[in-house]
Amino acid sequence: MRRVVITGVGALTPIGNTYKAFAENLKKGISGAGLITRFDASLFKVRFACELKDFDVEQFIQRKEARRLDPFAQYALVTADEAMLSSGLDVKNIDLDRAGVIWGTGIGGFETIEHDLTEAAHWTGEPRYSPFLIPKLIGDIAPGHISIKYGFRGINYGTVSACASSTHALISSFDYIRIGRADIMITGGSEAAITRASVGGFSAMKAMSERNDSPETASRPFDKERDGFVLGEGGGAFIFEEYEHAKKRGATIYAEVMGGGMTADAYHMTAPHPEGIGARNVMRHAIRDAGINPSDVDYVNVHGTSTPLGDIAETKAILGVFGDASYDLNISSTKSMTGHLLGGAGAVEALACVIAINEGFIPPTINHFTDDPEFDPKLNFTFNVAQERKIDIALSNTFGFGGHNASLIIKRFKD
């Protein structure tokens, strides 16, 4: 199998609109949560989320073009641009037939479909829809736009597996390069689901925190008082490149992708398996694929949504996979800061792993106030403060409604 390295990174998150800003605020333990400004949420049970801050799409995309894109596709293009810039790739000097794009999103153009259907509900005459309705809302349009911009004519599609979508995109991109079907892949994921219907729908499921009086402390993974996740938006992008290809052009290498796993819970539409069987199996598959032992892993960036059941199931899975080595791990949930970016979560959390490896710190799980006796007190959840540590191997978990599980393993690059 060929080696796959990371040569480009891009981030657009509630705690930073670039990779560098995201890294700085991860270390500081900044919360991205606040009251919703996108629409009037005063009558909703949940009135807060992790929105992007100071983001003006017209700084990146011309107004006419931006209007033809749902925000999730805008975020895809913006993060892909940063990743391409950081990679130093010159499209004039690469084989565009061997360069592809795989991008994940859980929902796609939620804002677009909500807006257009709301408008239609008031019509009494002939139904008329925007000619851009369909191309704006479909989930596979983001990789389409990225390929159009850069002329990448190789593998191109979108992945949809709820909150595991972008990790599936990353693993698929890794696979295509290592088996020789591509040399370069732009990959990642994005979501723009802070809308009335999304907030109302997740709220009706009682999946989200209702701590309206304290949004910044609402996402509390592994805390006894956790009451659900906080919705977030944004995305993350990578350039994955075959090692010899990257070496030949003298690229900066951020890290190396080692392995991935994909499984199903086969249990329930939305709830995790109570014993974390699917989560346990996917981590084992990823570790086996990477050719390492569980004790080789230094850090696990958990799915850790701050839901009562999910955090317990994932912790049981970690103990099942790592055994006594669990106590040597650093574990943290960066959703405590970014909120839950749904289909974009996996990409952003994989970026957090790359940052942790290169910057030598474990991002904290913020908002821990009360220990929960459900969790083994010997586990190190990296509560509240970033911890300095040399990390050689990190594992990132993402799980989605429908019982989808995906784990990715990234290691420090060594020539």
Side-chain angles (χ1 to χ4, degrees), residues 38-82:
R38 192 68 51 78
F39 59 89
D40 179 4
S42 59
L43 297 179
F44 284 69
K45 280 187 177 178
V46 176
R47 299 189 289 277
F48 61 97
C50 286
E51 296 178 326
L52 298 178
K53 317 292 187 301
D54 303 319
F55 173 68
D56 178 4
V57 67
E58 292 182 23
Q59 292 183 359
F60 306 92
I61 304 170
Q62 291 186 353
R63 179 180 299 182
K64 183 178 179 181
E65 178 65 17
R67 291 178 62 184
R68 297 176 176 179
L69 302 171
D70 185 89
F72 96 94
Q74 296 173 359
Y75 303 163
L77 279 169
V78 171
T79 54
D81 281 352
E82 186 186 3

mmCIF file of all heavy atoms in Angstrom, residues 38-82:
data_model
loop_
_atom_site.group_PDB
_atom_site.id
_atom_site.type_symbol
_atom_site.label_atom_id
_atom_site.label_comp_id
_atom_site.label_asym_id
_atom_site.label_seq_id
_atom_site.Cartn_x
_atom_site.Cartn_y
_atom_site.Cartn_z
ATOM 1 N N ARG A 38 -28.909 34.208 13.803
ATOM 2 C CA ARG A 38 -29.273 33.926 12.414
ATOM 3 C C ARG A 38 -30.759 34.149 12.150
ATOM 4 O O ARG A 38 -31.184 34.485 11.049
ATOM 5 C CB ARG A 38 -28.879 32.484 12.095
ATOM 6 C CG ARG A 38 -28.921 32.079 10.635
ATOM 7 C CD ARG A 38 -27.843 32.791 9.850
ATOM 8 N NE ARG A 38 -26.547 32.652 10.492
ATOM 9 C CZ ARG A 38 -25.775 31.570 10.437
ATOM 10 N NH1 ARG A 38 -26.160 30.518 9.760
ATOM 11 N NH2 ARG A 38 -24.600 31.537 11.041
ATOM 12 N N PHE A 39 -31.590 33.931 13.174
ATOM 13 C CA PHE A 39 -33.038 34.137 13.064
ATOM 14 C C PHE A 39 -33.579 34.394 14.466
ATOM 15 O O PHE A 39 -32.859 34.236 15.470
ATOM 16 C CB PHE A 39 -33.727 32.923 12.423
ATOM 17 C CG PHE A 39 -33.522 31.637 13.179
ATOM 18 C CD1 PHE A 39 -34.401 31.250 14.186
ATOM 19 C CD2 PHE A 39 -32.445 30.807 12.890
ATOM 20 C CE1 PHE A 39 -34.210 30.070 14.892
ATOM 21 C CE2 PHE A 39 -32.247 29.626 13.587
ATOM 22 C CZ PHE A 39 -33.140 29.256 14.594
ATOM 23 N N ASP A 40 -34.841 34.813 14.539
ATOM 24 C CA ASP A 40 -35.465 35.081 15.839
ATOM 25 C C ASP A 40 -35.820 33.741 16.493
ATOM 26 O O ASP A 40 -36.754 33.056 16.073
ATOM 27 C CB ASP A 40 -36.713 35.931 15.654
ATOM 28 C CG ASP A 40 -37.404 36.224 16.977
ATOM 29 O OD1 ASP A 40 -36.868 35.823 18.040
ATOM 30 O OD2 ASP A 40 -38.487 36.830 16.956
ATOM 31 N N ALA A 41 -35.051 33.383 17.515
ATOM 32 C CA ALA A 41 -35.263 32.086 18.172
ATOM 33 C C ALA A 41 -35.987 32.243 19.507
ATOM 34 O O ALA A 41 -36.020 31.304 20.303
ATOM 35 C CB ALA A 41 -33.919 31.399 18.377
ATOM 36 N N SER A 42 -36.577 33.420 19.726
ATOM 37 C CA SER A 42 -37.135 33.705 21.049
ATOM 38 C C SER A 42 -38.258 32.760 21.457
ATOM 39 O O SER A 42 -38.507 32.571 22.653
ATOM 40 C CB SER A 42 -37.635 35.151 21.094
ATOM 41 O OG SER A 42 -38.635 35.372 20.105
ATOM 42 N N LEU A 43 -38.950 32.156 20.497
ATOM 43 C CA LEU A 43 -40.042 31.264 20.840
ATOM 44 C C LEU A 43 -39.628 29.787 20.850
ATOM 45 O O LEU A 43 -40.457 28.909 21.095
ATOM 46 C CB LEU A 43 -41.209 31.458 19.858
ATOM 47 C CG LEU A 43 -41.853 32.853 19.862
ATOM 48 C CD1 LEU A 43 -42.976 32.933 18.849
ATOM 49 C CD2 LEU A 43 -42.378 33.203 21.250
ATOM 50 N N PHE A 44 -38.343 29.532 20.583
ATOM 51 C CA PHE A 44 -37.866 28.151 20.552
ATOM 52 C C PHE A 44 -37.410 27.698 21.950
ATOM 53 O O PHE A 44 -36.999 28.521 22.765
ATOM 54 C CB PHE A 44 -36.682 28.018 19.581
ATOM 55 C CG PHE A 44 -37.080 28.016 18.132
ATOM 56 C CD1 PHE A 44 -37.572 29.169 17.525
ATOM 57 C CD2 PHE A 44 -36.980 26.858 17.370
ATOM 58 C CE1 PHE A 44 -37.947 29.172 16.188
ATOM 59 C CE2 PHE A 44 -37.347 26.846 16.033
ATOM 60 C CZ PHE A 44 -37.836 28.007 15.446
ATOM 61 N N LYS A 45 -37.512 26.399 22.180
ATOM 62 C CA LYS A 45 -37.017 25.863 23.449
ATOM 63 C C LYS A 45 -35.508 26.051 23.575
ATOM 64 O O LYS A 45 -34.987 26.278 24.660
ATOM 65 C CB LYS A 45 -37.336 24.366 23.559
ATOM 66 C CG LYS A 45 -38.758 24.056 23.987
ATOM 67 C CD LYS A 45 -38.907 22.571 24.231
ATOM 68 C CE LYS A 45 -40.311 22.260 24.721
ATOM 69 N NZ LYS A 45 -40.497 20.796 24.932
ATOM 70 N N VAL A 46 -34.813 25.903 22.436
ATOM 71 C CA VAL A 46 -33.361 26.101 22.418
ATOM 72 C C VAL A 46 -33.065 27.377 21.637
ATOM 73 O O VAL A 46 -33.469 27.499 20.480
ATOM 74 C CB VAL A 46 -32.643 24.904 21.765
ATOM 75 C CG1 VAL A 46 -31.147 25.165 21.655
ATOM 76 C CG2 VAL A 46 -32.902 23.631 22.567
ATOM 77 N N ARG A 47 -32.371 28.314 22.258
ATOM 78 C CA ARG A 47 -32.177 29.624 21.638
ATOM 79 C C ARG A 47 -30.693 29.962 21.447
ATOM 80 O O ARG A 47 -30.333 31.127 21.321
ATOM 81 C CB ARG A 47 -32.862 30.688 22.518
ATOM 82 C CG ARG A 47 -34.377 30.462 22.651
ATOM 83 C CD ARG A 47 -35.067 31.621 23.339
ATOM 84 N NE ARG A 47 -34.755 31.695 24.756
ATOM 85 C CZ ARG A 47 -35.365 30.999 25.712
ATOM 86 N NH1 ARG A 47 -36.338 30.148 25.391
ATOM 87 N NH2 ARG A 47 -35.034 31.122 26.983
ATOM 88 N N PHE A 48 -29.850 28.948 21.463
ATOM 89 C CA PHE A 48 -28.415 29.213 21.309
ATOM 90 C C PHE A 48 -27.778 28.136 20.428
ATOM 91 O O PHE A 48 -28.360 27.067 20.213
ATOM 92 C CB PHE A 48 -27.716 29.256 22.676
ATOM 93 C CG PHE A 48 -27.805 27.962 23.434
ATOM 94 C CD1 PHE A 48 -26.777 27.045 23.395
ATOM 95 C CD2 PHE A 48 -28.919 27.666 24.185
ATOM 96 C CE1 PHE A 48 -26.853 25.845 24.084
ATOM 97 C CE2 PHE A 48 -29.022 26.461 24.878
ATOM 98 C CZ PHE A 48 -27.991 25.556 24.828
ATOM 99 N N ALA A 49 -26.592 28.463 19.939
ATOM 100 C CA ALA A 49 -25.845 27.543 19.068
ATOM 101 C C ALA A 49 -24.416 28.052 18.948
ATOM 102 O O ALA A 49 -24.071 29.127 19.475
ATOM 103 C CB ALA A 49 -26.505 27.471 17.683
ATOM 104 N N CYS A 50 -23.583 27.286 18.254
ATOM 105 C CA CYS A 50 -22.209 27.715 17.960
ATOM 106 C C CYS A 50 -22.169 28.204 16.513
ATOM 107 O O CYS A 50 -21.929 27.427 15.582
ATOM 108 C CB CYS A 50 -21.235 26.562 18.172
ATOM 109 S SG CYS A 50 -20.921 26.145 19.895
ATOM 110 N N GLU A 51 -22.432 29.492 16.330
ATOM 111 C CA GLU A 51 -22.405 30.090 14.991
ATOM 112 C C GLU A 51 -20.977 30.510 14.629
ATOM 113 O O GLU A 51 -20.135 30.742 15.501
ATOM 114 C CB GLU A 51 -23.314 31.321 14.949
ATOM 115 C CG GLU A 51 -24.787 31.018 15.175
ATOM 116 C CD GLU A 51 -25.632 32.286 15.159
ATOM 117 O OE1 GLU A 51 -25.125 33.343 15.613
ATOM 118 O OE2 GLU A 51 -26.774 32.232 14.702
ATOM 119 N N LEU A 52 -20.724 30.650 13.323
ATOM 120 C CA LEU A 52 -19.481 31.282 12.885
ATOM 121 C C LEU A 52 -19.481 32.732 13.342
ATOM 122 O O LEU A 52 -20.541 33.358 13.460
ATOM 123 C CB LEU A 52 -19.357 31.211 11.365
ATOM 124 C CG LEU A 52 -19.294 29.824 10.735
ATOM 125 C CD1 LEU A 52 -19.217 29.943 9.216
ATOM 126 C CD2 LEU A 52 -18.112 29.027 11.266
ATOM 127 N N LYS A 53 -18.288 33.278 13.557
ATOM 128 C CA LYS A 53 -18.156 34.664 14.000
ATOM 129 C C LYS A 53 -17.407 35.484 12.932
ATOM 130 O O LYS A 53 -16.395 35.025 12.401
ATOM 131 C CB LYS A 53 -17.369 34.742 15.316
ATOM 132 C CG LYS A 53 -17.734 33.704 16.375
ATOM 133 C CD LYS A 53 -19.110 33.906 16.947
ATOM 134 C CE LYS A 53 -19.366 32.960 18.126
ATOM 135 N NZ LYS A 53 -19.248 31.519 17.821
ATOM 136 N N ASP A 54 -17.905 36.667 12.658
ATOM 137 C CA ASP A 54 -17.216 37.609 11.753
ATOM 138 C C ASP A 54 -16.873 36.969 10.411
ATOM 139 O O ASP A 54 -15.790 37.210 9.848
ATOM 140 C CB ASP A 54 -15.916 38.124 12.418
ATOM 141 C CG ASP A 54 -16.182 38.788 13.751
ATOM 142 O OD1 ASP A 54 -17.172 39.534 13.847
ATOM 143 O OD2 ASP A 54 -15.420 38.539 14.701
ATOM 144 N N PHE A 55 -17.798 36.174 9.896
ATOM 145 C CA PHE A 55 -17.564 35.532 8.601
ATOM 146 C C PHE A 55 -18.379 36.246 7.540
ATOM 147 O O PHE A 55 -19.607 36.328 7.628
ATOM 148 C CB PHE A 55 -17.955 34.060 8.655
ATOM 149 C CG PHE A 55 -17.888 33.377 7.310
ATOM 150 C CD1 PHE A 55 -16.668 33.171 6.685
ATOM 151 C CD2 PHE A 55 -19.040 32.962 6.657
ATOM 152 C CE1 PHE A 55 -16.587 32.565 5.443
ATOM 153 C CE2 PHE A 55 -18.974 32.350 5.420
ATOM 154 C CZ PHE A 55 -17.747 32.151 4.811
ATOM 155 N N ASP A 56 -17.687 36.787 6.540
ATOM 156 C CA ASP A 56 -18.332 37.455 5.414
ATOM 157 C C ASP A 56 -17.952 36.693 4.155
ATOM 158 O O ASP A 56 -16.817 36.776 3.689
ATOM 159 C CB ASP A 56 -17.862 38.911 5.324
ATOM 160 C CG ASP A 56 -18.474 39.648 4.135
ATOM 161 O OD1 ASP A 56 -19.318 39.046 3.424
ATOM 162 O OD2 ASP A 56 -18.101 40.813 3.920
ATOM 163 N N VAL A 57 -18.903 35.959 3.615
ATOM 164 C CA VAL A 57 -18.586 35.089 2.485
ATOM 165 C C VAL A 57 -18.068 35.879 1.289
ATOM 166 O O VAL A 57 -17.276 35.364 0.492
ATOM 167 C CB VAL A 57 -19.817 34.236 2.095
ATOM 168 C CG1 VAL A 57 -20.928 35.114 1.526
ATOM 169 C CG2 VAL A 57 -19.420 33.151 1.100
ATOM 170 N N GLU A 58 -18.477 37.149 1.164
ATOM 171 C CA GLU A 58 -18.069 37.932 -0.001
ATOM 172 C C GLU A 58 -16.586 38.309 0.039
ATOM 173 O O GLU A 58 -16.057 38.841 -0.935
ATOM 174 C CB GLU A 58 -18.955 39.174 -0.124
ATOM 175 C CG GLU A 58 -20.393 38.801 -0.485
ATOM 176 C CD GLU A 58 -21.282 40.015 -0.670
ATOM 177 O OE1 GLU A 58 -20.760 41.104 -0.944
ATOM 178 O OE2 GLU A 58 -22.503 39.860 -0.510
ATOM 179 N N GLN A 59 -15.934 38.051 1.162
ATOM 180 C CA GLN A 59 -14.477 38.210 1.194
ATOM 181 C C GLN A 59 -13.779 37.078 0.442
ATOM 182 O O GLN A 59 -12.592 37.162 0.132
ATOM 183 C CB GLN A 59 -13.983 38.246 2.639
ATOM 184 C CG GLN A 59 -14.409 39.493 3.400
ATOM 185 C CD GLN A 59 -13.843 39.532 4.805
ATOM 186 O OE1 GLN A 59 -13.150 38.619 5.232
ATOM 187 N NE2 GLN A 59 -14.134 40.592 5.521
ATOM 188 N N PHE A 60 -14.548 36.025 0.171
ATOM 189 C CA PHE A 60 -13.960 34.836 -0.468
ATOM 190 C C PHE A 60 -14.604 34.510 -1.821
ATOM 191 O O PHE A 60 -13.950 33.979 -2.702
ATOM 192 C CB PHE A 60 -14.114 33.619 0.447
ATOM 193 C CG PHE A 60 -13.565 33.817 1.826
ATOM 194 C CD1 PHE A 60 -14.372 34.271 2.859
ATOM 195 C CD2 PHE A 60 -12.224 33.572 2.078
ATOM 196 C CE1 PHE A 60 -13.858 34.461 4.131
ATOM 197 C CE2 PHE A 60 -11.699 33.763 3.341
ATOM 198 C CZ PHE A 60 -12.520 34.217 4.372
ATOM 199 N N ILE A 61 -15.891 34.788 -1.934
ATOM 200 C CA ILE A 61 -16.652 34.397 -3.125
ATOM 201 C C ILE A 61 -17.466 35.604 -3.586
ATOM 202 O O ILE A 61 -18.116 36.263 -2.756
ATOM 203 C CB ILE A 61 -17.610 33.218 -2.813
ATOM 204 C CG1 ILE A 61 -16.825 32.028 -2.230
ATOM 205 C CG2 ILE A 61 -18.369 32.787 -4.066
ATOM 206 C CD1 ILE A 61 -17.717 30.927 -1.675
ATOM 207 N N GLN A 62 -17.431 35.900 -4.870
ATOM 208 C CA GLN A 62 -18.177 37.049 -5.385
ATOM 209 C C GLN A 62 -19.675 36.902 -5.097
ATOM 210 O O GLN A 62 -20.214 35.793 -5.104
ATOM 211 C CB GLN A 62 -17.943 37.188 -6.884
ATOM 212 C CG GLN A 62 -16.518 37.613 -7.229
ATOM 213 C CD GLN A 62 -16.347 37.881 -8.713
ATOM 214 O OE1 GLN A 62 -17.235 37.642 -9.512
ATOM 215 N NE2 GLN A 62 -15.181 38.397 -9.077
ATOM 216 N N ARG A 63 -20.337 38.038 -4.859
ATOM 217 C CA ARG A 63 -21.726 38.026 -4.422
ATOM 218 C C ARG A 63 -22.642 37.201 -5.335
ATOM 219 O O ARG A 63 -23.445 36.394 -4.873
ATOM 220 C CB ARG A 63 -22.262 39.461 -4.337
ATOM 221 C CG ARG A 63 -23.733 39.535 -3.914
ATOM 222 C CD ARG A 63 -24.216 40.960 -3.852
ATOM 223 N NE ARG A 63 -23.458 41.722 -2.867
ATOM 224 C CZ ARG A 63 -23.706 43.000 -2.581
ATOM 225 N NH1 ARG A 63 -24.686 43.640 -3.218
ATOM 226 N NH2 ARG A 63 -22.998 43.622 -1.670
ATOM 227 N N LYS A 64 -22.501 37.376 -6.636
ATOM 228 C CA LYS A 64 -23.379 36.662 -7.570
ATOM 229 C C LYS A 64 -23.203 35.159 -7.447
ATOM 230 O O LYS A 64 -24.176 34.397 -7.429
ATOM 231 C CB LYS A 64 -23.075 37.109 -9.008
ATOM 232 C CG LYS A 64 -23.987 36.473 -10.051
ATOM 233 C CD LYS A 64 -23.647 37.003 -11.446
ATOM 234 C CE LYS A 64 -24.538 36.345 -12.497
ATOM 235 N NZ LYS A 64 -24.205 36.830 -13.876
ATOM 236 N N GLU A 65 -21.957 34.725 -7.327
ATOM 237 C CA GLU A 65 -21.686 33.298 -7.190
ATOM 238 C C GLU A 65 -22.149 32.787 -5.824
ATOM 239 O O GLU A 65 -22.730 31.696 -5.720
ATOM 240 C CB GLU A 65 -20.192 33.039 -7.375
ATOM 241 C CG GLU A 65 -19.754 31.591 -7.199
ATOM 242 C CD GLU A 65 -20.331 30.667 -8.257
ATOM 243 O OE1 GLU A 65 -20.795 31.172 -9.280
ATOM 244 O OE2 GLU A 65 -20.327 29.436 -8.025
ATOM 245 N N ALA A 66 -21.908 33.584 -4.785
ATOM 246 C CA ALA A 66 -22.290 33.153 -3.431
ATOM 247 C C ALA A 66 -23.796 32.929 -3.321
ATOM 248 O O ALA A 66 -24.251 32.015 -2.615
ATOM 249 C CB ALA A 66 -21.831 34.193 -2.410
ATOM 250 N N ARG A 67 -24.583 33.739 -4.024
ATOM 251 C CA ARG A 67 -26.040 33.597 -3.961
ATOM 252 C C ARG A 67 -26.511 32.295 -4.583
ATOM 253 O O ARG A 67 -27.629 31.855 -4.333
ATOM 254 C CB ARG A 67 -26.703 34.795 -4.657
ATOM 255 C CG ARG A 67 -26.513 36.110 -3.900
ATOM 256 C CD ARG A 67 -27.124 37.271 -4.640
ATOM 257 N NE ARG A 67 -28.574 37.119 -4.789
ATOM 258 C CZ ARG A 67 -29.325 37.976 -5.480
ATOM 259 N NH1 ARG A 67 -28.758 39.008 -6.070
ATOM 260 N NH2 ARG A 67 -30.622 37.787 -5.545
ATOM 261 N N ARG A 68 -25.686 31.689 -5.391
ATOM 262 C CA ARG A 68 -26.045 30.416 -6.014
ATOM 263 C C ARG A 68 -25.609 29.222 -5.175
ATOM 264 O O ARG A 68 -25.774 28.076 -5.594
ATOM 265 C CB ARG A 68 -25.404 30.328 -7.406
ATOM 266 C CG ARG A 68 -25.915 31.397 -8.362
ATOM 267 C CD ARG A 68 -25.188 31.320 -9.692
ATOM 268 N NE ARG A 68 -25.741 32.288 -10.641
ATOM 269 C CZ ARG A 68 -25.296 32.467 -11.869
ATOM 270 N NH1 ARG A 68 -24.266 31.744 -12.303
ATOM 271 N NH2 ARG A 68 -25.856 33.359 -12.668
ATOM 272 N N LEU A 69 -25.039 29.487 -4.019
ATOM 273 C CA LEU A 69 -24.511 28.421 -3.164
ATOM 274 C C LEU A 69 -25.208 28.433 -1.818
ATOM 275 O O LEU A 69 -25.337 29.491 -1.189
ATOM 276 C CB LEU A 69 -23.008 28.606 -2.935
ATOM 277 C CG LEU A 69 -22.097 28.649 -4.156
ATOM 278 C CD1 LEU A 69 -20.693 29.073 -3.729
ATOM 279 C CD2 LEU A 69 -22.047 27.284 -4.811
ATOM 280 N N ASP A 70 -25.643 27.263 -1.351
ATOM 281 C CA ASP A 70 -26.081 27.156 0.033
ATOM 282 C C ASP A 70 -24.870 27.390 0.934
ATOM 283 O O ASP A 70 -23.730 27.085 0.547
ATOM 284 C CB ASP A 70 -26.660 25.764 0.287
ATOM 285 C CG ASP A 70 -27.248 25.635 1.681
ATOM 286 O OD1 ASP A 70 -28.433 25.937 1.841
ATOM 287 O OD2 ASP A 70 -26.500 25.268 2.624
ATOM 288 N N PRO A 71 -25.076 27.880 2.161
ATOM 289 C CA PRO A 71 -23.922 28.107 3.043
ATOM 290 C C PRO A 71 -23.027 26.889 3.233
ATOM 291 O O PRO A 71 -21.806 27.023 3.349
ATOM 292 C CB PRO A 71 -24.581 28.526 4.355
ATOM 293 C CG PRO A 71 -25.819 29.249 3.916
ATOM 294 C CD PRO A 71 -26.310 28.463 2.726
ATOM 295 N N PHE A 72 -23.591 25.673 3.230
ATOM 296 C CA PHE A 72 -22.711 24.511 3.444
ATOM 297 C C PHE A 72 -21.704 24.380 2.293
ATOM 298 O O PHE A 72 -20.551 23.952 2.506
ATOM 299 C CB PHE A 72 -23.536 23.224 3.623
ATOM 300 C CG PHE A 72 -23.724 22.395 2.385
ATOM 301 C CD1 PHE A 72 -22.871 21.342 2.094
ATOM 302 C CD2 PHE A 72 -24.754 22.678 1.487
ATOM 303 C CE1 PHE A 72 -23.046 20.576 0.951
ATOM 304 C CE2 PHE A 72 -24.939 21.918 0.353
ATOM 305 C CZ PHE A 72 -24.075 20.856 0.075
ATOM 306 N N ALA A 73 -22.118 24.754 1.075
ATOM 307 C CA ALA A 73 -21.207 24.704 -0.066
ATOM 308 C C ALA A 73 -20.223 25.883 -0.029
ATOM 309 O O ALA A 73 -19.063 25.749 -0.440
ATOM 310 C CB ALA A 73 -21.990 24.694 -1.371
ATOM 311 N N GLN A 74 -20.696 27.034 0.455
ATOM 312 C CA GLN A 74 -19.772 28.158 0.642
ATOM 313 C C GLN A 74 -18.647 27.764 1.596
ATOM 314 O O GLN A 74 -17.463 28.020 1.333
ATOM 315 C CB GLN A 74 -20.521 29.364 1.204
ATOM 316 C CG GLN A 74 -21.589 29.945 0.283
ATOM 317 C CD GLN A 74 -22.404 31.030 0.974
ATOM 318 O OE1 GLN A 74 -22.189 31.344 2.150
ATOM 319 N NE2 GLN A 74 -23.362 31.590 0.257
ATOM 320 N N TYR A 75 -19.029 27.138 2.719
ATOM 321 C CA TYR A 75 -18.015 26.739 3.708
ATOM 322 C C TYR A 75 -17.039 25.730 3.089
ATOM 323 O O TYR A 75 -15.842 25.750 3.388
ATOM 324 C CB TYR A 75 -18.676 26.117 4.944
ATOM 325 C CG TYR A 75 -19.689 26.990 5.645
ATOM 326 C CD1 TYR A 75 -20.601 26.444 6.552
ATOM 327 C CD2 TYR A 75 -19.746 28.363 5.426
ATOM 328 C CE1 TYR A 75 -21.531 27.235 7.205
ATOM 329 C CE2 TYR A 75 -20.682 29.160 6.068
ATOM 330 C CZ TYR A 75 -21.579 28.587 6.956
ATOM 331 O OH TYR A 75 -22.515 29.372 7.593
ATOM 332 N N ALA A 76 -17.567 24.863 2.251
ATOM 333 C CA ALA A 76 -16.706 23.867 1.591
ATOM 334 C C ALA A 76 -15.659 24.560 0.723
ATOM 335 O O ALA A 76 -14.463 24.228 0.778
ATOM 336 C CB ALA A 76 -17.558 22.919 0.755
ATOM 337 N N LEU A 77 -16.092 25.523 -0.075
ATOM 338 C CA LEU A 77 -15.160 26.209 -0.963
ATOM 339 C C LEU A 77 -14.135 27.033 -0.182
ATOM 340 O O LEU A 77 -12.953 27.062 -0.532
ATOM 341 C CB LEU A 77 -15.939 27.108 -1.923
ATOM 342 C CG LEU A 77 -16.539 26.400 -3.139
ATOM 343 C CD1 LEU A 77 -17.512 27.312 -3.872
ATOM 344 C CD2 LEU A 77 -15.447 25.930 -4.093
ATOM 345 N N VAL A 78 -14.586 27.695 0.873
ATOM 346 C CA VAL A 78 -13.674 28.535 1.655
ATOM 347 C C VAL A 78 -12.595 27.685 2.324
ATOM 348 O O VAL A 78 -11.401 28.017 2.302
ATOM 349 C CB VAL A 78 -14.461 29.355 2.695
ATOM 350 C CG1 VAL A 78 -13.506 30.057 3.670
ATOM 351 C CG2 VAL A 78 -15.343 30.382 1.996
ATOM 352 N N THR A 79 -12.990 26.570 2.926
ATOM 353 C CA THR A 79 -11.990 25.730 3.603
ATOM 354 C C THR A 79 -11.089 25.022 2.595
ATOM 355 O O THR A 79 -9.889 24.850 2.839
ATOM 356 C CB THR A 79 -12.669 24.703 4.522
ATOM 357 O OG1 THR A 79 -13.631 23.948 3.778
ATOM 358 C CG2 THR A 79 -13.360 25.384 5.679
ATOM 359 N N ALA A 80 -11.665 24.604 1.476
ATOM 360 C CA ALA A 80 -10.837 23.969 0.437
ATOM 361 C C ALA A 80 -9.802 24.956 -0.098
ATOM 362 O O ALA A 80 -8.653 24.576 -0.383
ATOM 363 C CB ALA A 80 -11.719 23.443 -0.693
ATOM 364 N N ASP A 81 -10.196 26.223 -0.238
ATOM 365 C CA ASP A 81 -9.252 27.248 -0.700
ATOM 366 C C ASP A 81 -8.068 27.373 0.255
ATOM 367 O O ASP A 81 -6.908 27.458 -0.168
ATOM 368 C CB ASP A 81 -9.958 28.609 -0.799
ATOM 369 C CG ASP A 81 -10.798 28.732 -2.051
ATOM 370 O OD1 ASP A 81 -10.714 27.841 -2.919
ATOM 371 O OD2 ASP A 81 -11.554 29.718 -2.159
ATOM 372 N N GLU A 82 -8.368 27.403 1.559
ATOM 373 C CA GLU A 82 -7.284 27.526 2.531
ATOM 374 C C GLU A 82 -6.369 26.296 2.478
ATOM 375 O O GLU A 82 -5.137 26.416 2.555
ATOM 376 C CB GLU A 82 -7.831 27.708 3.954
ATOM 377 C CG GLU A 82 -6.707 27.989 4.956
ATOM 378 C CD GLU A 82 -7.160 28.027 6.411
ATOM 379 O OE1 GLU A 82 -8.349 27.789 6.671
ATOM 380 O OE2 GLU A 82 -6.295 28.269 7.275
#
